[in-house]
Amino acid sequence: MVHSDSDPPLLNHYGTLLCHSTQCDEPQTRVTMEECQLPLIDLCDLGSDDEMVRRACAAAICKASSEWGFFQVVNHGISSQLVDKMRSEQVKLFRAPFETKATSGLLNNSYRWGSPRATCPNQFSWSEAYHVPLTKVSDEACYGDFKSLREVMTCFAAAMSELSRLLAGILTENLGHWKQASISNICDETCFLRLNHYPACPISPEIFGLVPHTDSDFLTILCQDQVGGLQLMKDSKWVTVKPNKDALIVNIGDLFQAWSNDVYKSVEHKGIQRTSSRRCQKNRVQGWPSQVST
């Protein structure tokens, strides 16, 4: 495999960790995973004239958040054209030379790659990302030569933020009236848009694209490509999430689990490498009630 000048030096960093690894570092073994279909919820039902249909939709969202910690939504209000434009712009962004991404201060100087704090190979994520506060998404100074990215990201972030408010409102209403007032704390200052890229790995499919973790935030909305690779823990075993081109994936974070007194579940998940590189967008609620990201 030919190394592209757009790729971060993941191989060098991983090789260093491998050289310094000890016998206590257990190698990851790839096993065949059961493929699961996440609960699929049609948000069109929230606009139904039938109150029972609206209530059933809201109940399904809350049930999935309690039993799975993950669910998918369709008819979410974000057009396929906007998603395609965002992906196209993201491809151009990550194809830029590594030095440009790392040193030019793009997107609020938020470029990150690999796992700087990793001390062994099992802690290493074979990925690169931008983690942009929504307050900076419309800032013209953040984009450098990527002028067309600004308009698309601004529209995409606004749409994802609106969806996060809708879902957070339904989930908090289910917890009781005393929780509902806190929904007003969700604002752009506490939201982030994360752009992820998982370059193809020339070494082994056992390397993580993203190491096993729970999200420390409040709520995450993920726009996944069709390559797949997302796995989550369900009933004490890892299952693979089947991609759905029409759906967005929503998952509960640690802060929402704590804030709901464990009514909703923050579930461990990970990204597995595929033969093709992958790109996805996340709108994350980073904290509650003081921070929100989508």
Side-chain angles (χ1 to χ4, degrees):
M1 179 177 291
V2 179
H3 177 77
S4 167
D5 67 354
S6 68
D7 291 338
L10 296 164
L11 185 59
N12 293 343
H13 191 180
Y14 184 81
T16 300
L17 291 174
L18 198 61
C19 289
H20 292 88
S21 65
T22 64
Q23 292 182 349
C24 65
D25 298 327
E26 298 181 3
Q28 295 295 322
T29 302
R30 175 65 63 86
V31 296
T32 302
M33 295 290 178
E34 175 186 344
E35 191 173 63
C36 75
Q37 183 74 46
L38 292 178
L40 183 64
I41 298 169
D42 188 346
L43 295 186
C44 187
D45 289 345
L46 292 175
S48 172
D49 293 333
D50 189 330
E51 182 179 359
M52 295 298 292
V53 172
R54 298 197 302 271
R55 287 186 176 183
C57 183
I61 291 171
C62 298
K63 180 180 179 181
S65 299
S66 296
E67 297 181 355
W68 283 77
F70 273 78
F71 58 93
Q72 298 178 102
V73 293
V74 294
N75 291 318
H76 40 67
I78 301 175
S79 70
S80 59
Q81 292 85 358
L82 179 56
V83 171
D84 289 344
K85 286 181 181 179
M86 186 68 242
R87 285 188 174 142
S88 177
E89 292 294 333
Q90 191 171 341
V91 168
K92 290 189 288 185
L93 177 65
F94 282 113
R95 281 180 178 169
F98 169 69
E99 288 301 320
T100 298
K101 293 182 288 189
T103 64
S104 63
L106 284 169
L107 299 180
N108 198 44
N109 197 32
S110 63
Y111 179 71
R112 301 291 184 270
W113 60 274
S115 304
R117 297 181 181 178
T119 59
C120 65
N122 290 351
Q123 298 173 354
F124 190 76
S125 294
W126 197 278
S127 59
E128 58 180 336
Y130 289 91
H131 193 189
V132 191
L134 287 197
T135 53
K136 294 293 184 179
V137 165
S138 61
D139 187 348
E140 194 170 353
C142 287
Y143 291 89
D145 294 332
F146 294 88
K147 304 298 184 183
S148 59
L149 175 61
R150 178 172 176 260
E151 180 180 356
V152 177
M153 268 192 69
T154 300
C155 293
F156 187 81
M160 291 285 265
S161 182
E162 182 177 353
L163 178 59
S164 71
R165 290 171 187 268
L166 172 66
L167 296 173
I170 290 169
L171 291 167
T172 53
E173 182 177 3
N174 180 61
L175 297 175
H177 294 292
W178 67 278
K179 291 288 191 183
Q180 292 180 44
S182 296
I183 196 67
S184 61
N185 289 316
I186 295 184
C187 58
D188 288 351
E189 285 76 10
T190 55
C191 293
F192 293 82
L193 179 64
R194 185 179 178 98
L195 307 180
N196 300 293
H197 177 219
Y198 305 91
C201 179
I203 304 174
S204 167
E206 278 73 43
I207 296 176
F208 294 122
L210 194 61
V211 296
H213 67 288
T214 57
D215 288 352
S216 61
D217 52 29
F218 179 66
L219 190 71
T220 298
I221 304 175
L222 172 67
C223 182
Q224 186 182 218
D225 65 16
Q226 296 306 297
V227 177
L230 174 63
Q231 295 183 351
L232 60 89
M233 186 65 69
K234 176 64 174 172
D235 298 328
S236 301
K237 63 181 180 181
W238 289 106
V239 295
T240 298
V241 176
K242 183 178 181 179
N244 182 332
K245 65 181 181 62
D246 298 317
L248 297 176
I249 295 174
V250 182
N251 70 278
I252 302 298
D254 296 341
L255 284 170
F256 208 168
Q257 174 171 325
W259 190 71
S260 69
N261 294 325
D262 294 336
V263 171
Y264 305 134
K265 307 302 181 187
S266 179
V267 174
E268 189 176 22
H269 54 286
K270 61 184 177 180
I272 296 299
Q273 275 292 343
R274 300 297 196 192
T275 54
S276 302
S277 64
R278 296 181 289 128
R279 296 174 176 85
C280 61
Q281 306 92 24
K282 280 185 176 181
N283 191 22
R284 314 184 71 187
V285 178
Q286 279 297 97
W288 183 264
S290 60
Q291 290 181 297
V292 181
S293 72
T294 316

